[in-house]
Amino acid sequence: SVCEQSLALDAQNAKIRSRLVTAQVALGDFAAARAALAAATGGDAAALANASKLIDDTERQLATADAALTGGEPANALKMLAELETKALFSCPAVSLKMGRCYLELKNYPRVLNTTQQVLRANPRNIDALVLRSEALYRNNDAAADSPQWTDPLEQGQRLLKEALSFDPDHAGAQAFRKRLRQLCGSHSEFKAAFSCREFEKAQEVLDQMIEQGQDNPVMLASLYCERAKCGIRLKDWPRVLKDVGQATYRNHSLVQAYLFRAQALQALDRQEDAVKELEGLLSWHREQSVYEKLQEAKFLLRKKKRANYYELLGVPSVASQLEIKKAYRERAAEWHPDKKGHLDEVARKNAEEMFKRIGEAYEVLTDAQKKEYYDKGYDLEGIDEQIELKKRRTEGHGHGHGHGHCGSGHCC
């Protein structure tokens, strides 16, 4: 370097020697900086002392930043490293990569990719940059586990690690990580084959292996748990579905499919109110037409669950004829007529009046062909009246809406 050439001519020039030390510290080469300082044979003692202090302070601050990163404080470590990069280590690829490691832990994967790209432009053979970049690709894999694109970043990471191993075949970190990515890609193919063949239990077993391999990747784990839930739906293992979607949403709050699977499981367990709440929560931040429609369907099923069972009230099967319905009504109405309950206490009389009213309501619906048709489709009394009114408006040519409302084109406003 220029400083070294100058020192060859004037070994006692402390100012030049201090500049050399500063340049070597900027590169992160502390050993060379100390060696340069040790070679001093005289000159300005204060300048040499300042150079020595620069080395000591920078090494100490770098060690503190490393401890923060290792101790699970990437934000603090990043702050310290950024300050070091500005003040002293402004030409040090190792510091850039340490900052990249902080970004990785902070889940800022685009910054990791940008940092490693800059380092690799300056030195394409930087193994640490290749390994870190492959880790960012792996952790930033937000593709659904059932999509063909799921393996793309893993395969790209394998290529980077292969390149790193071409420079250092014995690099243990690159070897182990490449092996894991290769296993994940192989397991993914095995999972898809099992699912396609409707071997859902086998598919779950493969997913269990993948989940075990991906414990350091929350985004990927969420997708894998969501796929496990899908297998559970096919097996009708609803409690397991709820557990799996819980694991998925814990790791990725924006995984829409997991919330839909949870609503489906709740409906299958006849927890209609919980299913409605789940879909209402989802629609509050994911305002899509498909979610709106599922919410309306869930509300319909809830109303169906809560409605009175008119066939049971009359004591007839759902396939009963009109004659059977009328006969049953006369018998039940006679049994619960308020005039026959005058000897009862006030509470019992009110219960009888309510029962008599519901028996009449059942008779009115089940002996009206149109109302009975809507009732048999699942509508409650309010829904029946809504459908009849809607049909009337359509017949008159005044209405163009939908029975369950309208939510725009593609998006619910």
Side-chain angles (χ1 to χ4, degrees), residues 396-412:
E396 295 172 351
H398 296 307
H400 303 285
H402 298 281
H404 288 307
H406 185 59
C407 195
S409 177
H411 297 274
C412 181

Side-chain angles (χ1 to χ4, degrees), residues 11-84:
Q12 293 188 350
N13 192 318
K15 186 175 182 181
I16 295 176
R17 191 170 297 278
S18 296
R19 288 178 181 174
L20 176 60
V21 169
T22 301
Q24 289 167 333
V25 168
L27 293 170
D29 194 345
F30 299 109
R34 289 192 183 281
L37 199 59
T41 59
D44 189 343
L48 295 175
N50 287 336
S52 179
K53 185 175 184 301
L54 173 66
I55 298 172
D56 293 339
D57 289 349
T58 304
E59 279 191 313
R60 185 178 63 257
Q61 291 171 28
L62 188 59
T64 303
D66 286 341
L69 179 57
T70 305
E73 300 179 2
N76 288 338
L78 181 61
K79 182 179 179 180
M80 287 184 274
L81 290 168
E83 184 177 351
L84 278 171

Side-chain angles (χ1 to χ4, degrees), residues 307-311 371-379:
R307 70 178 185 166
N309 188 329
Y310 291 153
Y311 291 107
K371 290 183 178 181
K372 183 176 184 299
E373 178 185 359
Y374 286 125
Y375 180 81
D376 289 341
K377 287 180 178 180
Y379 291 94

Side-chain angles (χ1 to χ4, degrees), residues 220-334:
M220 188 182 78
L221 281 179
S223 179
L224 293 175
Y225 275 115
C226 195
E227 289 306 304
R228 261 196 63 92
K230 185 191 293 185
C231 293
I233 288 173
R234 297 301 182 92
L235 294 168
K236 300 189 185 304
D237 186 354
W238 305 114
R240 187 57 182 266
V241 172
L242 292 178
K243 289 181 181 179
D244 285 337
V245 296
Q247 294 284 356
T249 54
Y250 173 75
R251 291 169 172 82
N252 184 356
H253 301 304
S254 62
L255 195 58
V256 173
Q257 191 62 58
Y259 295 96
L260 295 175
F261 284 163
R262 179 183 284 145
Q264 185 176 349
L266 291 170
Q267 289 175 331
L269 293 169
D270 200 28
R271 293 169 56 182
Q272 306 298 343
E273 289 189 22
D274 290 336
V276 168
K277 291 177 181 178
E278 184 73 18
L279 291 167
E280 285 177 337
L282 177 58
L283 186 63
S284 69
W285 58 269
H286 187 72
R287 303 186 67 80
E288 292 291 330
Q289 180 71 17
S290 59
V291 177
Y292 174 82
E293 291 170 354
K294 287 186 181 297
L295 174 58
Q296 299 312 305
E297 179 185 350
K299 287 181 176 179
F300 175 77
L301 292 174
L302 177 59
R303 289 171 66 174
K304 180 180 179 180
K305 178 185 178 181
K306 289 183 174 181
R307 70 178 185 166
N309 188 329
Y310 291 153
Y311 291 107
E312 189 176 279
L313 278 171
L314 297 182
V316 297
S318 59
V319 293
S321 66
Q322 287 295 303
L323 287 175
E324 291 172 324
I325 290 172
K326 290 176 181 179
K327 178 183 177 183
Y329 165 70
R330 286 194 294 271
E331 293 174 354
R332 296 287 281 166

Side-chain angles (χ1 to χ4, degrees), residues 180-230:
R180 183 148 67 104
L181 296 186
R182 188 163 55 241
Q183 288 175 337
L184 282 169
C185 288
S187 296
H188 184 258
S189 298
E190 188 179 352
F191 154 68
K192 290 192 69 177
F195 194 91
S196 298
C197 294
R198 302 184 64 79
E199 298 176 355
F200 303 120
E201 290 181 345
K202 180 180 178 181
Q204 283 186 328
E205 291 175 1
V206 177
L207 285 168
D208 287 341
Q209 297 171 9
M210 297 173 71
I211 287 169
E212 185 64 28
Q213 293 171 333
Q215 288 298 312
D216 58 345
N217 191 340
V219 174
M220 188 182 78
L221 281 179
S223 179
L224 293 175
Y225 275 115
C226 195
E227 289 306 304
R228 261 196 63 92
K230 185 191 293 185

Side-chain angles (χ1 to χ4, degrees), residues 363-383:
Y363 178 74
E364 178 187 350
V365 170
L366 297 183
T367 54
D368 183 301
Q370 188 177 40
K371 290 183 178 181
K372 183 176 184 299
E373 178 185 359
Y374 286 125
Y375 180 81
D376 289 341
K377 287 180 178 180
Y379 291 94
D380 60 2
L381 187 60
E382 182 181 350

